[in-house]
């Protein structure tokens, strides 16, 4: 039976009581009044020693006895049909144990698409074998340019076969498809006339903004080790989605799910591209079955750039209107983006979520091209949309003669974000001393800019956690999801130890294994809010069982006892106590075991996770070089479970945002259709010397919603960075940068066009 509980929600200086219905088996939510000793503290990662000593085993480190090495032959063409395929010489090469190929007649839609693969006794032999695969292609017309692909006479990417479905369609939206362009038109509220709404504006700004294709570039490339034992398959995979990978492999190989086990103990980064199994995993499994031996298939960096996902580019036009007092009245957004042969180029998230805009019309188009598919990438669509929207907000403030912070505060939906803007302005000394745009003198000019961003409170209800308390006092916390490097293991141990009142070193966390209870994919910032409350529920139920055992030993009623410091004691007399380990030794059988499921969400204080960033830059007007000197990032995530790892997430998001703003850019040759920079020498990413000083500030919010009061923080920290940098550059040189990446040549061109040096 559910029970009603009063809890305190809100943020510093703005608290209120809220009555919520707590499901059966759930503890009351931690709130602003909760005095916690482990949770919300700065706790070092429980797996830190394993990582720094090299004992942490990644997919690349897995070497089952008798393991073979596999390599894939990818299409050299952006669009072609296989007309002839001869594997005989490759198959006959000594050391080759299995081969796989597509069928003759297969149409290939992008460079790097899988054509054939071999498994051999070494990588050298596998690479030699690929050179012996005889393939003939019928090259087909292709298109890889956004503007050309939109034309009616452009080569059709999907001239046969199914078109990938849209990733998200707002309720009541209209979907049209013509040629390579699929457009989703939505209004908010439904049916609003954006023309009439904008006609009520007293001040209007409009502009066109462009962002580039960004590849994920995780340190550890995609890869899998496949091993068969009879008709049971084990995969060690560098994946963000252990259970999604299991399900997709089972479907592809026509196996029951219980015959596929996926393991991912440690992984070297994943920003969304590793949420599915990928063709390489299916190929590895097939090669291993044919070779009757384990097979490792790790992609190289070129394959990573070509075939494993990217953030789509965008061309955005928007028109934004406001009253003279700064009240927004309407926004019209048109965007085009190239998700390659995938989908999901929409950018309207920030326009829908950040500000109170009475009338909104969005027209978002996926423009299909002959290139690798887009995949979710850390806050999909938001960095692109924020880059345009937040510059437009600055332009509107300037046209109104209004402080850009005042304009934002007047229109922000989230009151927490208003407080974050105020806090950031107080912390950022450069903001308080900023001059008017372009007023700086000298060769190197300094500027400061601001931008807001949001993400959402996402939860995967298909989450379970098992806790085992052994009779020697050890506690195991089990969930099959993976820690992709964000510190999931650590907060799971913290939450369990906090709820049970025991030392952290008694808790061991097991995860990254589909033989354990089901967990979410690590994406969309849903991992923490899915797992943490489930850990706490399991720990709460396990604690009640331990108190029940102790009550008999202490001859007391269970409600007269509590646990703290590893002892179970009477509330009225702490001397009347017994240690955790002593109680564990008296457990009937050899352990207490509890399996808890993620309870349904109840009322939250805020559905959004908000942040604001202030960027300080230097612009060399002779070379065009931009250096980001400091970013002050104010961010909430409900209750931070571990301040150390949460701050690390802020740092990582900002660094990736700086990289997006200044460096990264996938370049495709328009003549050959091939990627020109499929490596980390020519595809530039932010290096150590490019990283700014980052001041990350976490804003605690008692949010309710779940028993831990927690939301995710992985996505939102990278959203506003590029927009804040662009606004800072404008403050420094008085010229707008409307295209990413902001490279020296573009800065010099903008200065020349704007009349600067």
């Amino acid at each position: 039976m559910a029970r009603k509980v009063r809890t305190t929600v809100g943020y510093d200086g703005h608290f209120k009581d809220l009555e919520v219905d707590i499901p059966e088996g759930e503890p009351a939510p931690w709130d602003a009044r909760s005095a916690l000793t482990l949770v919300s503290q700065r706790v070092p990662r429980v797996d830190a020693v394993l990582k720094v000593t090299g004992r942490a085993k990644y997919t690349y480190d897995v070497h089952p006895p008798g393991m073979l090495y596999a390599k894939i032959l990818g299409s050299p063409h952006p669009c072609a049909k296989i007309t002839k395929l001869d594997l005989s010489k490759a198959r006959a090469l000594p050391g080759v144990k299995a081969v796989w190929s597509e069928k003759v007649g297969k149409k290939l839609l992008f460079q790097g698409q899988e054509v054939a693969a071999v498994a051999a006794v070494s990588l050298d032999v596998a690479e030699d074998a690929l050179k012996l695969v005889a393939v003939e292609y019928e090259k087909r017309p292709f298109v890889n340019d956004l503007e050309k692909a939109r034309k009616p006479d452009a080569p059709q990417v999907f001239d046969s076969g199914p078109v990938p479905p849209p990733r998200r369609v707002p309720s009541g939206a209209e979907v049209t498809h013509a040629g390579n362009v699929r457009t989703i038109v939505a209004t908010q509220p439904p049916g609003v006339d954006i023309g009439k709404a904008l006609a009520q504006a007293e001040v209007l700004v409009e502009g066109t903004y462009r962002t580039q294709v960004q590849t994920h570039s995780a340190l550890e490339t995609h890869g899998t080790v496949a091993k068969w034992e009879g008709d049971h398959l084990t995969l060690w995979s560098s994946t963000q989605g252990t259970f999604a990978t299991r399900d997709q492999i089972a479907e592809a190989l026509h196996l029951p799910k219980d015959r596929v086990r996926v393991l991912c103990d440690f992984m070297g980064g994943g920003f969304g591209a590793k949420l599915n199994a990928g063709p390489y995993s299916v190929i590895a499994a097939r090669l291993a079955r044919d070779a009757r031996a384990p097979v490792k298939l790790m992609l190289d960096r070129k394959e990573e750039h070509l075939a494993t996902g990217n953030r789509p580019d965008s061309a955005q036009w928007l028109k934004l209107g406001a009253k003279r007092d700064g009240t927004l009245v309407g926004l019209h957004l048109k965007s085009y983006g190239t998700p390659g042969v995938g989908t999901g180029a929409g950018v309207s998230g920030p326009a829908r979520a950040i500000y109170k805009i009475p009338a909104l019309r969005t027209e978002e188009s996926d423009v299909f091209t002959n290139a690798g598919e887009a995949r979710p990438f850390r806050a999909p669509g938001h960095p692109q949309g924020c880059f345009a929207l937040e510059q437009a907000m600055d332009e509107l403030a300037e046209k109104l003669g209004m402080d850009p912070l005042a304009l934002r505060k007047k229109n922000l939906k989230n009151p927490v974000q208003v407080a974050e803007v105020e806090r950031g302005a107080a912390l950022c000394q450069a903001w308080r001393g900023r001059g008017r745009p372009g007023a700086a003198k000298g060769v190197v000019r300094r500027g400061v800019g601001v931008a807001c961003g949001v993400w959402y409170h996402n939860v995967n209800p298909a989450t379970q956690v098992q806790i085992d308390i052994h009779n020697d006092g050890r506690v195991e916390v089990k969930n099959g999801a993976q820690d992709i490097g964000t510190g999931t293991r650590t907060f799971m141990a913290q939450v369990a130890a906090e709820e049970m009142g025991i030392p952290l070193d008694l808790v061991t966390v097991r995860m990254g294994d589909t033989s354990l209870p089901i967990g979410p994919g690590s994406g969309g910032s849903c991992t923490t809010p899915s797992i943490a409350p489930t850990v706490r529920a399991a720990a709460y139920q396990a604690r009640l069982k331990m108190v029940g055992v102790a009550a008999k030993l202490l001859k007391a009623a269970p409600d007269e006892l509590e646990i703290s410091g590893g002892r179970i004691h009477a509330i009225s007399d702490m001397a009347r106590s017994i240690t955790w380990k002593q109680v564990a030794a008296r457990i009937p059988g050899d352990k207490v075991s509890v399996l808890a499921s993620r309870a349904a969400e109840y009322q939250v204080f805020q559905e959004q996770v908000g942040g604001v960033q202030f960027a300080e830059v230097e612009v060399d007007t002779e070379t065009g070089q931009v250096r980001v000197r400091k970013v002050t990032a104010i961010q909430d995530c409900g209750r931070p479970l571990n301040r150390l790892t949460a701050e690390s997430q802020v740092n990582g998001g900002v660094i990736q945002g700086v990289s997006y703003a200044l460096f990264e850019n996938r370049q495709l040759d328009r003549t050959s259709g091939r990627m020109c920079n499929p490596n980390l020498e020519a595809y530039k990413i932010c290096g150590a010397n490019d990283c700014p000083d980052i001041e990350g500030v976490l804003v605690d919010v008692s949010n309710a919603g779940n028993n831990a009061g927690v939301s995710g923080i992985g996505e939102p920290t990278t959203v506003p960075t590029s927009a804040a940098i662009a606004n800072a550059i404008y403050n420094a040189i008085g010229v707008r940068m409307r295209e990413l990446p902001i490279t020296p040549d573009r800065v010099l061109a903008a200065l020349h066009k704007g009349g600067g040096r």
Side-chain angles (χ1 to χ4, degrees), residues 233 235 241-247 257 260-264 479-482 511-518:
L233 172 64
L235 291 176
T242 47
F243 291 94
T245 296
R246 178 199 67 181
D247 295 351
K257 291 179 184 179
V260 180
R261 182 184 182 190
V262 177
L263 298 162
C264 182
N479 177 266
Q482 58 298 308
M511 59 186 315
D513 183 346
T514 56
S515 69
L516 300 176
I518 191 167

Side-chain angles (χ1 to χ4, degrees), residues 650-660 664 686-687 691-692 694 718 721:
V650 173
N651 293 342
V654 169
I655 292 169
Q656 198 161 45
V658 171
S659 194
Y660 182 55
E664 298 188 49
C686 189
C691 293
I694 302 170
T718 201
T721 313

Side-chain angles (χ1 to χ4, degrees), residues 29-222:
W30 287 326
D31 63 10
R33 299 169 298 179
S34 300
L36 306 178
T37 58
L38 284 171
V39 168
S40 297
Q41 307 305 311
R42 296 171 60 84
V43 177
R45 296 170 187 259
V46 296
D47 53 8
V49 173
L50 294 176
K51 289 185 174 181
V52 300
T53 59
R55 286 184 285 155
K57 298 302 180 186
Y58 296 77
T59 300
Y60 188 86
D61 300 317
V62 175
H63 295 89
M67 187 186 78
L68 305 174
Y69 296 83
K71 290 291 292 183
I72 292 174
L73 176 67
S75 170
H77 307 295
C79 189
K81 181 180 179 180
I82 301 173
T83 58
K84 184 177 180 181
L85 185 58
D86 186 353
L87 303 171
S88 59
K89 290 183 179 180
R91 198 187 303 271
L93 184 70
V96 171
K97 302 300 181 181
V99 298
W100 168 89
S101 73
E102 281 287 3
K103 296 179 180 179
V104 172
K106 171 76 173 182
K107 184 180 178 182
L108 306 168
L109 298 180
F110 61 93
Q111 181 197 8
Q113 187 171 352
E114 300 78 12
V115 175
V118 299
V121 294
S122 71
L123 276 177
D124 288 340
V125 173
E127 289 170 352
D128 289 343
L130 286 187
K131 297 173 184 176
L132 298 177
V133 176
V135 191
E136 292 183 8
Y137 302 95
E138 177 190 310
K139 292 194 285 187
R140 296 289 186 89
F142 69 90
V143 63
N144 63 7
D145 176 79
L146 172 63
E147 302 304 328
K148 290 182 179 178
R150 290 171 55 190
K151 295 180 179 179
D153 60 349
Q156 300 301 293
V157 175
F158 297 106
D159 58 358
S160 62
V163 178
R167 192 169 292 165
R168 292 184 186 89
V169 179
S171 177
E174 176 188 359
V175 181
T176 61
H177 193 162
N180 291 317
V181 182
R182 179 175 57 213
T183 303
I184 301 174
V185 179
T187 56
Q188 187 177 295
V192 71
D193 187 326
I194 193 63
K196 286 184 178 180
L198 288 173
Q200 304 303 311
E202 295 171 308
V203 178
L204 289 165
V205 296
E206 65 177 293
T208 299
Y209 304 84
R210 295 179 180 273
T211 63
Q212 77 282 35
V213 171
Q214 178 188 23
T215 69
H216 293 70
S217 300
L219 184 62
E220 181 188 30
T221 62
H222 290 64

Side-chain angles (χ1 to χ4, degrees), residues 316-595:
Q316 305 171 58
W317 170 87
L318 57 80
K319 190 173 186 179
L320 180 63
K323 296 290 187 181
R324 283 285 175 197
D325 66 355
T327 303
L328 298 179
V329 299
L331 172 63
H332 190 182
L333 170 66
K334 295 181 181 180
S335 71
Y336 299 88
T338 58
V341 296
T343 188
V347 299
S348 68
R352 295 177 182 281
I354 300 178
Y355 299 110
K356 294 174 285 190
I357 304 177
L360 175 66
R361 179 180 172 89
T362 61
E363 302 168 37
E364 303 172 273
S365 297
D366 284 340
V367 182
F368 300 113
T369 57
N370 293 108
E373 68 171 354
R375 291 186 187 171
F377 194 159
R378 204 169 194 165
H382 277 244
Q384 304 100 295
C386 195
F387 176 71
L389 176 64
E390 286 298 280
Q391 287 204 76
M393 286 292 288
D394 257 31
E395 292 187 69
L396 185 62
E398 186 174 28
K399 203 167 182 178
L400 286 164
M402 192 173 182
D403 180 272
L405 297 189
L407 177 64
R408 287 173 169 84
K409 287 162 59 178
K410 186 178 185 66
N411 293 285
L412 282 166
K413 287 183 176 181
N414 186 345
V416 178
Q417 213 163 3
V418 174
E420 290 172 343
V421 169
E422 294 172 346
R423 187 166 181 181
L427 288 172
C428 182
Q429 293 184 6
W431 182 264
R432 298 197 299 274
R434 75 192 188 285
R436 62 179 178 82
K441 303 298 182 184
V443 174
V444 178
R445 303 178 188 177
R446 296 183 70 95
V448 59
V450 65
C452 294
V454 299
W455 192 243
Y456 313 102
H457 180 70
N458 293 326
V459 174
N460 186 335
T463 302
Q464 294 182 313
V465 168
Q466 181 173 326
I467 288 185
D468 293 337
I469 304 173
H470 298 276
N471 54 19
D472 60 0
R474 291 180 300 110
V475 176
E476 285 188 298
V477 183
K478 303 175 183 179
N479 177 266
Q482 58 298 308
D483 185 340
I484 64 172
T486 56
T488 306
R489 275 186 180 84
T490 306
F491 81 65
M492 289 173 68
Q494 286 176 262
V495 170
E498 181 79 56
E499 181 62 29
M500 290 189 284
I502 60 176
L504 191 64
D505 59 11
L506 283 179
V507 181
T508 300
V509 176
R510 291 183 55 200
M511 59 186 315
D513 183 346
T514 56
S515 69
L516 300 176
I518 191 167
S522 290
S525 294
C526 80
T527 313
T528 301
S530 299
I531 294 178
T534 320
V535 172
R536 189 176 174 217
Y540 170 74
Q541 295 169 30
R543 176 169 62 86
L544 293 180
K545 290 191 174 186
M546 289 292 283
V547 168
V549 175
K552 296 177 181 178
L553 300 175
L554 294 173
K555 296 181 172 53
D559 59 5
E560 296 174 346
L561 303 177
E562 67 178 11
I563 311 178
S564 63
R567 300 187 71 87
I568 302 177
H569 58 83
I571 298 172
S572 59
D573 180 9
M574 292 191 66
R576 188 181 170 198
S577 68
I578 188 171
T579 68
W580 174 269
K581 290 187 176 182
Q582 287 173 329
V583 176
R586 302 294 292 272
I587 292 172
D590 62 351
K591 66 180 179 181
V592 164
S593 187
V594 170
L595 179 66

Side-chain angles (χ1 to χ4, degrees), residues 271 311 378-379 382-383 451-456 486 525 609-613 631-637 645-658 694 696-698 712-722 724:
F271 310 113
R311 187 191 298 282
R378 204 169 194 165
H382 277 244
C452 294
V454 299
W455 192 243
Y456 313 102
T486 56
S525 294
V609 177
V612 61
Q613 293 183 13
V631 174
T632 303
I634 318 297
Q635 184 66 56
D636 83 85
C637 58
T645 54
E647 289 167 4
S648 180
Q649 285 281 62
V650 173
N651 293 342
V654 169
I655 292 169
Q656 198 161 45
V658 171
I694 302 170
V697 179
L698 301 176
I713 197 174
E715 250 77 8
T717 57
T718 201
V719 171
T721 313
S722 60

